[in-house]
Amino acid sequence: MFLAGLALMLGFLFNVIGRGIADTYIVFLLPLGSEFGWNRSEISSVYSVYMLSAGLSAPFVGMLFDRWGPRVVYSFGLACLGSAYVLAGSLNQLWQFHICVGVAGGIGVSALGMVPAASLVSRWFRGNTGTAIGIAYAGSGCGTLLIVPLAQYMSQSIGWRSAYHVLGGSVLFLFFLVLFLPWRALRAGRRDDIACGDQSRAETRRTPSRGAPLLGALKTRAFWSLAQVFCFTGLAMYTILVQTIAFLVESGFAPLEAASAFGVAGMLSVIGVMASGTLADRIGYRRTAMASFICTFLGLILLLALSYHPSHWLLFGFVALFGIAQGARGPIVSSLCAKIFPGAGLATIYGTIFACMSLGAATGSLASGLLHDLTGGYRASFIFSMFSVLIAVVPFWTSPALKRFARS
């Protein structure tokens, strides 16, 4: 019981660190543009490279987890992310940010994110997988809530360069602490599989993936349906998220107020993510997914209205609706993946599906900057995000496998 709780806590904690640190780039958009004279699409391209790097590395992170376990993956992630952000505080060229914050940061965040967390947690929680993965996934929103406003404060008080040094140094300090955790026992998972006579399943969980499970999954419609949900959800969300603080500041809100609104949305996502996992276990995955997509779509309508009439009431409505649904699809897709593709190779399969989400997110973050530069505003991005939401929800009504599992 202790090890199950520890596995869940680690999945949550590493999501706090990875996603929280990565999202701090959002508060550095304006300082970087002011100091170096880069336009919005150039600055946004760094975040796009980060998402692309996180996505493309996710299948390899999954393979590394299946073969070597969580100790190697998490240690590598902390070392990579911490080193990248320490170096980021001394950079002066855009291509340098692409390499450190984009490529190295993306790989580090991927190694700390939901690919290893979903695989680790699912080994300990099988009857209530959605609830457990929802708790681990909630770390992403909690990281945004805690670290992004802190980064905004540090950027204003000690400068963005020192803020990067502090963030990176803190991550490197954690690297040495995690080396002493009981990783072998955590990797083994629940041992009552054998006690219940299901020894073959237990052995399957301990057998490293050789690639065949992924090849088999690629031939199924269920895999590509989950990939569509994740890809277009990432496209919809990150078309908005990268520009949120800059949009609010340009609309007349104070920088710290804008960062705090972003943080509150992250706080609400903690509640929404945990609730989505619990609701999925109780009322079904499709109903839970539909409710989350409706909240996102309504939040986007309020954001579009905010571009015409800046108002604290419209901001409150956007933060409430968009925030509560932010990340809610993560536990749903993660749990469905664990149910549809159980056993050896789960981390690799989920990592590949997660890569589709990151590709969508990278495209969305890049599109947001390009649409801003082309139109001189944000409304095109908001409308583009709405259409992406509609495409993301389709597989829950068209895929036989998703309809079957989504009702359970």
Side-chain angles (χ1 to χ4, degrees), residues 60-143:
F60 299 100
V61 168
M63 293 177 188
L64 189 66
F65 184 94
D66 284 333
R67 185 172 295 274
W68 297 105
R71 180 179 183 176
V72 172
V73 172
Y74 283 132
S75 299
F76 170 73
L78 289 171
C80 191
L81 182 63
S83 300
Y85 274 60
V86 167
L87 291 174
S90 304
L91 305 182
N92 295 292
Q93 301 294 325
L94 184 62
W95 66 268
Q96 295 172 336
F97 280 90
H98 284 149
I99 293 176
C100 283
V101 177
V103 176
I107 294 172
V109 171
S110 180
L112 296 174
M114 278 307 299
V115 173
S119 302
L120 180 62
V121 170
S122 65
R123 298 184 181 195
W124 292 95
F125 299 89
R126 290 188 298 278
N128 52 351
T129 307
T131 301
I133 289 181
I135 293 173
Y137 224 110
S140 298
C142 192

Side-chain angles (χ1 to χ4, degrees), residues 221 225 228 286 393-403:
R221 183 176 177 181
S225 296
Q228 179 179 334
R286 184 165 67 178
V393 77
V394 168
F396 283 100
W397 298 96
T398 59
S399 170
L402 259 64
K403 287 194 290 185

